[in-house]
Amino acid sequence: MDQPLLSVRNLTVKFGEFKAIDGLSFDLYPGKTLAVVGESGSGKSVTALSIMRLVELGTRAKVAEGEVLLRRDDGSTIDLLKQSERAMRSIRGNDISMVFQEPLTSLNPVYTTGDQVIETIRQHRKTTRRDAAKRALEMFEKVRIPRPDKVMQDYPHQLSGGMRQRVMIAMALSCDPRLLIADEPTTALDVTIQAQMLGLMKSLQQETGAAVMLITHDMGVVAEVADDMVVMRNSKFVESGSVYDIFEKPGAAYTRALLASVPRLGSMKGKTEPERFDLVDREGM
Amino acid sequence: MTTLRDTTTLADTRERPPIERYQGLRMFMANKAAVLGAILLGVILIISYILPLFITTDKLAYVASRHTPPLTEGGPILGTDYLGRDVALIVMHGGSTTLEVAGFAALLIIFVGATIGAFAGYYGGMVDRVLMKVTEFFQVLPGLLFALVVVALFGASTATIVIAIGIVSWPPIARQTRSEFMKQKGLEYVKAAKAIGASNARIILRTILPNTFPILIVQSTLTMGAAILFEAGLAFLGLGDPNNLSWGYYVGLNRQYFLTNWWAVSIPGFMVFLTVLSLSLIGDGLQDAINPKLRGR
Amino acid sequence: MLAIATKIGESLLLILAVLVFNFVLVYIAPGSVIDALSAGSLGDASEAQIEAVRERLGLDKSFFGQLFMYLGNVLQGDFGYSPIGNRPVVEMIAPRIFPTLLLAFSALTFAVTIGIAIGTAAARRPDSFLSSGLTVFALIGFAMPVFWTGILLILVFGVWLDWLPVAGMNDLRMSSRAGFFERAVDTAEHLILPTVSLGVIFLATYARLARASMMEVLQSDYIRTARAKGLHESKVLFKHGLRNGIIPIITVLGLEFGILLSGAILVETVFAWPGLGRLAFEAVLNRDTNVLLAILTMVSVTVILANLLTDIVYRLVDPRIRTGGRA
Amino acid sequence: MSKYLLETEGLTKTFPLADGSSVHAVENVSIQVNHSETLAIVGESGCGKSTLANLVCRLLDPTSGRVKLNGEDITSLNTTAMRPYRREMQMIFQDPYASLDPRRTVGDSVSEPLLIHGQAKRGAELQDRVASLFSKVGLQEDDMERFPHQFSGGQRQRVCIARALTLAPKLVIADESVSALDVSVQAQVINLMMDLQDEMKLSYLFITHDLAVVERMAHRVAVMYLGQVVEIGPRAAVFENPTHSYTRKLLDAAPIADPRQRRERPLLTGEIPSPRWPKGEAPQLVNLVEVGDGHLVAKE
């Protein structure tokens, strides 16, 4: 197997005395999709922000210990937690980029979508505004936005939720990142739009070879797109492994309980009456 | 019932916080600035209302030579003014005038503002549009100038001053009450009350109003402060009762001598400042204490 | 564009409403203009003379007759005659407008720029001393009576330290042949203390408002996006943060313009600044109702225009309003 | 007793907009809910499912059409006349935090319906009734004195369920009531709702976008699209034999929590159409035809 693209080792993040992440470790391989799964308060979103080193900005959080190793193109690795802010800025949006849950609030309401994508490109590539605009248009076409030239002139509030998320993805992929972190990218979307988005992300991943770290609470989405998964609960690592293995035979009691409470579409075939969830007693875990 | 519990309470039996009582008061007490404000206001009220009961000397009497500075041996503690009157005595008596005018004005402002705001916010539509246009009109009137005109036209009685302050100061309260009512009206707990079968009156009075009280109470302390400043400004310009020397009026009287007699202008002004500050501190403390979401953090 | 046209129409209606309201005030006031006149220049005029004045002023007409006459006059720029100044009111007011606007805008600029700067700095570090100090500073700023601040500033900077001029708009000893530049510098020096005493209340308010607004903005998702793009923190703050953060401040700016001009009356009185406020003070002393009413009209119109202006600026800054439909 | 507990006939709600266009949120909807049955209404945002819930609960007045409870027309009753019917019909909302009065203890909120309907007086008896409701939904008795913000989301939703059940209603309208909950809590709340259904012979009008949840707990399903019901029938029939193209699209789109059932996603771009119509235009009414036992589908 390849060397991992990203290795998180014993990551611990504190908000004051409270540990938002407590000794988390996992590996993410190039071209693969890793799902980080957990319920609210499990620390999955903090993990993403910690890798980007965005967690300490404007909050009381502090990365207390651990390593986040990123493998560079030349094979060397760097610890993101030890990089200067300046070095991190050249990595964010360039080597690692992010897509968030709420596409409306994640785009700045006072600038056009085009401007926001062009800004990203010009931040990391030395190009003229014109070339950046050309590249942005290409990206808009790549994420299959109809009439991309027009949408570039639109403000975020003029677009539908699905279009906004396409703009976010175009922006995130505009500098050919090797890792895309997607934090609940489809949670705010309707189910048919979610399906489009999952299909799009999958095909773009095949096209660009980027690794994807997918943060979600939705087991359906995990089962659909992820290769590997990490389960978190109450800031702590629970288990990790291939999606097939964990869904087939969850190792940890918590994972078993969690999967038992997930309704699986199609599981009621042949039954006429409703059926309760077969819940596992989680007391004392 | 036991069977129900087995399947349903597993994840939810996490530790609950202790039941809270008097937590609002405790939050307020923990806010040092707010407690300071309350103490300050208490002292000012004692000086303005209790002390004058014991000191019966004529406040307008000549007590020492004109412009005697404070802490001069043989002179009154805070010195004398341009007529040789005791500054401390006059300032002590000035408080009640200021506080009464401001208090009545604040009541008027809160009443008018809250009523108009509540109607506009709850009923919405045409009612809202008309009431908001009226509010906008009163909001563009430059307050102090308008009060000057009213007092100049109708005479400088306490009533005209109170009404003049009231007319121009209610719009912000109306706006705030309205937006609060609109916000609450859309929340699901109000819908839930409707679904239970609660009447409109019950929803307005028992459901929404208690939830707007905190904001109204905080606003009252701030409005009271603003009304004191307003009264002081009017009185400073000479529109006040010459027989009841309010703090602002007294600053106005002493203004032309301020180069030689800085204390007679600064001390009453300082009292205005302290009173408004104490009210603002209290309002700020209440704002935190009364917000249930901030409790128990 | 249609929205702006509507706004302009609404503003005109508001101005009309203010005029009608002014007229009604005078109409229902006891004593009316005649008393003021009798107390003033007419002295012991005979019945016949008073009757003549009544007729000249149109006071013998019906309510609506008088109202339309008043509106007609105002629209022609005729605010009546000042018996005390012995001149048409317009002539007394005209030279006073510029100084008041100069003071108001200077105080506003002072308050807004410094307020936003302090508020933004405090918003970036909510736990810092600056941020908690800002609350106290804002409360203190709000609590200071403007006239008192003015007098204290005069005592400290004008008298004891003797750094700055304390009265008027220009030095009286300045030669009438002084150049424009020399005059401007002199005026600027005279402007400092009035600006500070008027601006400080608003400085406190805007700093607090800016902090609240920027704290919200800085926690928003698009700021996180901007950081995740790798933008420099200054670009995040100024390009992405401030543009959104000032939107609530703009709204308040228009609404508080009336309070600003009210404060200007007190400041002008303290600093002998030759503006509308000082004129209003003199008019109050002399019970010169015509002048007071004209000033009230002028200032109300200014506030309405200021509101119109902020509304247009608001539209320019926030595309959600401009392009219709708030999402 | 009428055959149906709840029945709507041609229920329609149109919201006119300032520019002359209008949102046809609910268009000619006729549904029936039987006794002790869960009817799930599914659809995507803008399909009108929440508006339908509000219409049934009489929180909104319909533009046209009728709502019948136990065969009685309640469409045009005012607040007072409506009150006795409210005992039969209660609602649970999506956001369990916003649906509780933040300034009242949850015990107060739960006892309010009894007071409004004059079924109890303040005192020990009321306390006991509320306490037994609390234990019924899996809360502790001393929870009554707490405020909403002191509970977790799942606990708050239990409080809301307790409040809805105080008057022993026959019909509970649940508007996305489990959507905001974590999945393990969601499963528990659904189990609780199903237990209560058996115990109290409740019917649910269950509004949701989550097909997997519907498959688990509904007896019958109605699919809404652009304000209209396009397919309705027994759960098994609709899920195993989806006939309307929109129902099929929904079922295809829903992710399945089982990696062995992965499907290829075609690269589509499409939008959810808006129920807003320009002035003078209106949606075309669908025509439901029976394709199986109680399974009706709009003709395409």
Side-chain angles (χ1 to χ4, degrees):
Chain A
M1 198 161 196
D2 285 349
Q3 298 278 351
L5 173 66
L6 184 83
S7 292
V8 173
R9 291 281 164 269
N10 193 27
L11 181 65
T12 302
V13 179
K14 285 183 172 174
F15 283 80
E17 277 309 293
F18 172 73
K19 284 181 177 170
I21 303 177
D22 188 359
L24 177 69
S25 304
F26 62 81
D27 292 318
L28 171 54
Y29 293 90
K32 296 286 186 191
T33 298
L34 171 77
V36 179
V37 185
E39 295 185 284
S40 50
S42 60
K44 55 191 192 300
S45 287
V46 180
T47 306
L49 292 175
S50 304
I51 293 169
M52 293 290 273
R53 288 273 307 282
L54 288 172
V55 73
E56 287 172 352
L57 280 170
T59 66
R60 264 165 249 182
K62 183 108 196 73
V63 176
E65 56 180 307
E67 288 178 323
V68 176
L69 303 169
L70 178 73
R71 183 166 298 274
R72 316 214 71 162
D73 286 333
D74 59 12
S76 65
T77 57
I78 51 167
D79 183 355
L80 294 182
L81 299 182
K82 293 206 177 72
Q83 300 304 305
S84 66
E85 179 57 24
R86 191 191 157 90
M88 276 316 293
R89 279 200 301 271
S90 70
I91 291 171
R92 290 181 199 133
N94 192 17
D95 294 292
I96 309 177
S97 60
M98 249 183 121
V99 175
F100 300 100
Q101 174 171 353
E102 284 291 344
L104 174 60
T105 52
S106 297
L107 288 164
N108 194 325
V110 299
Y111 297 108
T112 62
T113 59
D115 277 348
Q116 297 186 54
V117 178
I118 291 168
E119 185 186 31
T120 315
I121 297 166
R122 297 199 65 193
Q123 179 68 27
H124 299 290
R125 303 277 180 273
K126 285 197 165 33
T127 59
T128 58
R129 199 187 143 79
R130 200 173 171 166
D131 287 344
K134 216 191 259 168
R135 167 84 180 147
L137 188 68
E138 266 172 46
M139 289 312 299
F140 273 48
E141 282 163 356
K142 210 174 202 165
V143 297
R144 294 179 173 75
I145 289 175
R147 294 198 295 158
D149 46 337
K150 199 219 154 246
V151 173
M152 277 182 70
Q153 311 293 323
D154 281 341
Y155 290 95
H157 72 274
Q158 294 170 302
L159 304 176
S160 70
M163 280 306 141
R164 286 177 201 138
Q165 200 60 299
R166 283 174 199 265
V167 172
M168 278 301 288
I169 293 173
M171 190 156 84
L173 298 181
S174 61
C175 293
D176 299 315
R178 286 175 304 142
L179 171 59
L180 173 69
I181 302 180
D183 187 353
E184 303 272 6
T186 60
T187 306
L189 304 175
D190 271 306
V191 59
T192 53
I193 307 297
Q194 165 174 291
Q196 293 174 12
M197 216 55 64
L198 293 176
L200 175 70
M201 284 174 67
K202 199 87 214 162
S203 105
L204 288 174
Q205 186 178 19
Q206 279 156 7
E207 210 173 307
T208 62
V212 174
M213 178 171 153
L214 176 73
I215 292 169
T216 185
H217 70 281
D218 189 331
M219 289 296 183
V221 172
V222 176
E224 182 116 347
V225 297
D227 299 300
D228 301 298
M229 67 193 278
V230 176
V231 183
M232 289 181 76
R233 185 203 185 193
N234 292 344
S235 317
K236 290 197 178 70
F237 171 86
V238 176
E239 69 175 309
S240 67
S242 103
V243 168
Y244 286 91
D245 292 348
I246 289 183
F247 270 74
E248 188 79 24
K249 207 170 179 320
Y254 171 71
T255 317
R256 219 175 305 137
L258 195 62
L259 287 172
S261 40
V262 176
R264 292 180 198 198
L265 201 61
S267 65
M268 300 281 289
K269 240 185 195 108
K271 298 172 185 165
T272 49
E273 282 302 300
E275 210 163 81
R276 285 173 183 69
F277 288 94
D278 185 16
L279 294 183
V280 188
D281 192 334
R282 280 167 41 191
E283 215 62 24
M285 279 192 323
Chain B
M1 290 318 307
T2 46
T3 49
L4 273 186
R5 287 204 143 183
D6 287 343
T7 56
T8 55
T9 57
L10 301 176
D12 277 1
T13 46
R14 69 168 196 194
E15 236 171 81
R16 279 119 152 125
I19 293 166
E20 54 181 48
R21 286 196 181 90
Y22 311 113
Q23 202 174 347
L25 184 68
R26 259 185 284 131
M27 290 272 305
F28 185 85
M29 296 305 283
N31 186 336
K32 289 193 193 76
V35 173
L36 179 71
I39 293 173
L40 210 55
L41 186 67
V43 172
I44 291 165
L45 289 176
I46 290 173
I47 292 176
S48 306
Y49 286 96
I50 313 282
L51 274 191
L53 299 177
F54 297 102
I55 302 171
T56 45
T57 13
D58 180 10
K59 63 174 175 183
L60 300 179
Y62 177 89
V63 291
S65 61
R66 300 163 55 201
H67 305 307
T68 308
L71 304 176
T72 308
E73 217 169 307
I77 182 153
L78 294 181
T80 62
D81 66 6
Y82 64 105
L83 291 174
R85 297 179 293 192
D86 186 342
V87 172
L89 212 53
I90 294 179
V91 166
M92 181 180 83
H93 279 92
S96 56
T97 314
T98 305
L99 289 170
E100 274 152 33
V101 169
F104 283 124
L107 280 180
L108 183 70
I109 292 165
I110 297 285
F111 179 74
V112 174
T115 312
I116 292 188
F119 270 100
Y122 188 75
Y123 288 101
M126 233 7 231
V127 178
D128 180 38
R129 282 228 286 282
V130 170
L131 287 178
M132 278 301 106
K133 280 286 160 226
V134 173
T135 310
E136 195 181 326
F137 170 76
F138 282 99
Q139 195 146 26
V140 299
L141 286 178
L144 193 62
L145 194 53
F146 173 78
L148 283 181
V149 171
V150 170
V151 174
L153 284 174
F154 295 87
S157 70
T158 306
T160 31
I161 294 176
V162 166
I163 292 173
I165 297 176
I167 288 179
V168 288
S169 306
W170 62 265
I173 305 284
R175 275 175 189 275
Q176 200 145 19
T177 313
R178 168 182 176 262
S179 71
E180 197 58 27
F181 258 74
M182 283 171 60
K183 197 175 96 196
Q184 304 282 345
K185 188 176 70 168
L187 288 182
E188 288 176 342
Y189 79 91
V190 175
K191 268 191 177 180
K194 272 189 198 161
I196 287 167
S199 60
N200 261 353
R202 189 183 171 97
I203 290 172
I204 293 181
L205 295 175
R206 298 266 339 247
T207 309
I208 303 187
L209 201 60
N211 279 292
T212 52
F213 265 151
I215 285 170
L216 281 181
I217 290 170
V218 171
Q219 281 304 310
S220 312
T221 59
L222 298 180
T223 304
M224 178 79 187
I228 288 173
L229 288 172
F230 205 130
E231 189 278 339
L234 271 179
F236 170 77
L237 293 175
L239 295 170
D241 186 344
N243 300 315
N244 290 320
L245 299 175
S246 77
W247 292 329
Y249 198 83
Y250 198 49
V251 176
L253 282 184
N254 284 296
R255 184 166 75 91
Q256 57 190 117
Y257 311 100
F258 80 94
L259 286 180
T260 41
N261 190 336
W262 55 267
W263 55 92
V265 283
S266 346
I267 293 167
F270 186 65
M271 289 304 287
V272 175
F273 166 69
L274 272 190
T275 315
V276 180
L277 184 63
S278 69
L279 285 164
S280 310
L281 288 172
I282 294 172
D284 215 55
L286 283 176
Q287 193 142 34
D288 293 347
I290 234 153
N291 183 350
K293 282 172 210 158
L294 286 180
R295 287 187 197 172
R297 276 204 311 198
Chain C
M1 274 307 99
L2 183 71
I4 291 179
T6 320
K7 271 280 154 200
I8 293 174
E10 278 177 7
S11 301
L12 290 177
L13 277 179
L14 263 183
I15 292 175
L16 185 69
V18 167
L19 290 176
V20 173
F21 189 69
N22 282 352
F23 172 79
V24 172
L25 270 184
V26 179
Y27 189 82
I28 60 170
S32 81
V33 189
I34 295 297
D35 291 347
L37 287 176
S38 336
S41 62
L42 288 180
D44 18 53
S46 70
E47 282 292 314
Q49 276 174 307
I50 288 177
E51 205 44 51
V53 175
R54 276 182 74 87
E55 213 179 301
R56 181 160 60 83
L57 294 175
L59 294 180
D60 51 343
K61 290 203 176 91
S62 71
F63 172 81
F64 285 103
Q66 288 186 45
L67 175 61
F68 287 124
M69 194 171 127
Y70 170 75
L71 291 179
N73 286 342
V74 168
L75 291 181
Q76 289 167 30
D78 178 4
F79 287 94
Y81 194 79
S82 164
I84 286 92
N86 212 8
R87 274 181 296 167
V89 171
V90 156
E91 284 179 24
M92 294 175 72
I93 286 184
R96 304 296 194 114
I97 295 175
F98 173 71
T100 295
L101 288 182
L102 181 64
L103 173 59
F105 279 111
S106 153
L108 199 63
T109 315
F110 166 77
V112 170
T113 48
I114 300 185
I116 290 179
I118 296 178
T120 309
R124 288 200 59 203
R125 293 189 174 74
D127 289 334
S128 65
F129 176 73
L130 176 69
S131 190
S132 51
L134 179 60
T135 308
V136 179
F137 167 69
L139 295 178
I140 290 178
F142 172 76
M144 292 200 292
V146 189
F147 54 87
W148 181 68
T149 325
I151 292 174
L152 290 188
L153 285 176
I154 292 178
L155 279 172
V156 175
F157 294 97
V159 181
W160 296 338
L161 295 174
D162 195 19
W163 285 354
L164 290 164
V166 295
M169 202 167 146
N170 279 108
D171 198 322
L172 292 175
R173 287 159 300 181
M174 175 159 280
S175 118
S176 55
R177 276 169 299 169
F180 172 79
F181 183 70
E182 211 176 325
R183 254 173 195 288
V185 170
D186 184 49
T187 304
E189 276 181 9
H190 280 79
L191 196 54
I192 294 176
L193 289 182
T195 298
V196 172
S197 40
L198 181 55
V200 77
I201 5 170
F202 297 96
L203 171 62
T205 319
Y206 290 137
R208 220 175 165 194
L209 198 64
R211 183 186 58 174
S213 162
M214 284 303 283
M215 270 172 78
E216 203 184 313
V217 166
L218 289 180
Q219 280 167 10
S220 65
D221 292 349
Y222 54 81
I223 291 297
R224 196 177 49 182
T225 308
R227 283 175 178 152
K229 281 168 158 185
L231 297 187
H232 193 274
E233 193 58 17
S234 64
K235 218 170 183 181
V236 172
L237 203 62
F238 294 110
K239 191 178 168 194
H240 288 269
L242 210 52
R243 174 92 184 258
N244 285 285
I246 56 171
I247 290 173
I249 298 177
I250 295 173
T251 328
V252 174
L253 218 60
L255 290 174
E256 292 216 321
F257 207 73
I259 303 176
L260 179 73
L261 289 173
S262 288
I265 297 174
L266 295 166
V267 171
E268 288 181 8
T269 308
V270 171
F271 288 92
W273 188 260
L276 286 171
R278 190 170 163 74
L279 184 64
F281 174 62
E282 288 158 5
V284 168
L285 288 183
N286 300 325
R287 307 270 165 218
D288 195 345
T289 324
N290 276 358
V291 171
L292 263 183
L293 273 176
I295 294 174
L296 180 60
T297 309
M298 282 309 301
V299 174
S300 304
V301 169
T302 314
V303 176
I304 293 168
L305 292 180
N307 268 312
L308 183 64
L309 193 70
T310 50
D311 203 74
I312 292 170
V313 172
Y314 185 58
R315 271 161 211 284
L316 290 178
V317 175
D318 191 345
R320 284 166 294 185
I321 309 289
R322 199 190 328 147
T323 54
R326 245 202 143 116
Chain D
M1 203 151 105
S2 151
K3 190 177 165 219
Y4 301 116
L5 175 61
L6 173 81
E7 203 179 350
T8 70
E9 287 175 5
L11 209 54
T12 299
K13 180 69 186 177
T14 310
F15 297 99
L17 298 179
D19 60 354
S21 65
S22 51
V23 173
H24 288 250
V26 172
E27 194 70 30
N28 193 31
V29 167
S30 304
I31 52 166
Q32 298 83 30
V33 179
N34 297 308
H35 294 274
S36 306
E37 160 188 272
T38 301
L39 171 65
I41 310 275
V42 293
E44 295 181 285
S45 45
C47 76
K49 56 190 192 297
S50 278
T51 310
L52 178 65
N54 286 324
L55 288 173
V56 168
C57 211
R58 291 293 325 283
L59 293 175
L60 279 176
D61 288 326
T63 311
S64 66
R66 271 195 288 265
V67 181
K68 286 181 180 173
L69 193 64
N70 268 325
E72 288 178 72
D73 191 341
I74 59 164
T75 322
S76 44
L77 299 181
N78 62 24
T79 313
T80 332
M82 195 51 213
R83 209 165 282 154
Y85 297 94
R86 295 225 178 267
R87 255 175 260 158
E88 303 286 304
M89 173 169 77
Q90 279 299 314
M91 193 155 173
I92 312 172
F93 300 91
Q94 171 170 14
D95 181 349
Y97 190 77
S99 43
L100 291 169
D101 190 335
R103 311 203 71 77
R104 274 194 198 169
T105 63
V106 294
D108 272 358
S109 287
V110 173
S111 45
E112 193 183 19
L114 290 170
L115 295 169
I116 287 178
H117 289 267
Q119 298 207 338
K121 294 225 162 19
R122 284 189 193 281
E125 194 214 325
L126 180 68
Q127 286 283 317
D128 286 350
R129 283 180 73 171
V130 174
S132 84
L133 275 165
F134 267 60
S135 71
K136 197 179 248 181
V137 298
L139 291 167
Q140 295 160 13
E141 258 179 52
D142 65 352
D143 284 340
M144 285 163 60
E145 287 181 61
R146 292 173 210 277
F147 287 92
H149 66 271
Q150 297 176 300
F151 292 97
S152 68
Q155 290 166 343
R156 280 182 218 134
Q157 200 57 291
R158 285 167 195 269
V159 173
C160 293
I161 292 173
R163 177 177 57 189
L165 297 180
T166 33
L167 298 169
K170 286 283 152 249
L171 174 66
V172 171
I173 297 152
D175 186 2
E176 297 277 13
S177 302
V178 296
S179 311
L181 304 176
D182 270 327
V183 60
S184 62
V185 180
Q186 169 179 295
Q188 292 166 21
V189 172
I190 290 172
N191 277 5
L192 170 68
M193 289 176 74
M194 288 165 76
D195 289 343
L196 292 167
Q197 179 164 47
D198 288 353
E199 194 183 307
M200 300 175 72
K201 303 275 170 281
L202 288 174
S203 293
Y204 291 117
L205 185 65
F206 194 85
I207 315 280
T208 185
H209 67 277
D210 191 333
L211 291 161
V213 166
V214 168
E215 192 192 24
R216 198 85 195 202
M217 71 174 297
H219 296 93
R220 285 168 61 235
V221 184
V223 180
M224 278 185 80
Y225 181 66
L226 283 176
Q228 307 193 51
V229 172
V230 293
E231 182 156 2
I232 184 169
R235 191 259 307 150
V238 173
F239 275 78
E240 281 163 38
N241 183 22
T243 309
H244 193 272
S245 61
Y246 180 69
T247 313
R248 260 183 282 170
K249 193 173 159 194
L250 268 186
L251 282 168
D252 282 344
I256 299 173
D258 184 352
R260 289 166 307 183
Q261 294 190 42
R262 256 180 214 191
R263 291 163 289 184
E264 273 304 306
R265 295 270 175 215
L267 276 177
L268 299 171
T269 29
E271 300 270 354
I272 299 169
S274 159
R276 181 173 163 177
W277 292 78
K279 197 173 181 168
E281 288 181 41
Q284 196 176 1
L285 295 185
V286 298
N287 198 6
L288 290 174
V289 291
E290 188 149 8
V291 295
D293 188 18
H295 186 181
L296 282 77
V297 178
K299 255 209 295 207
E300 291 179 82

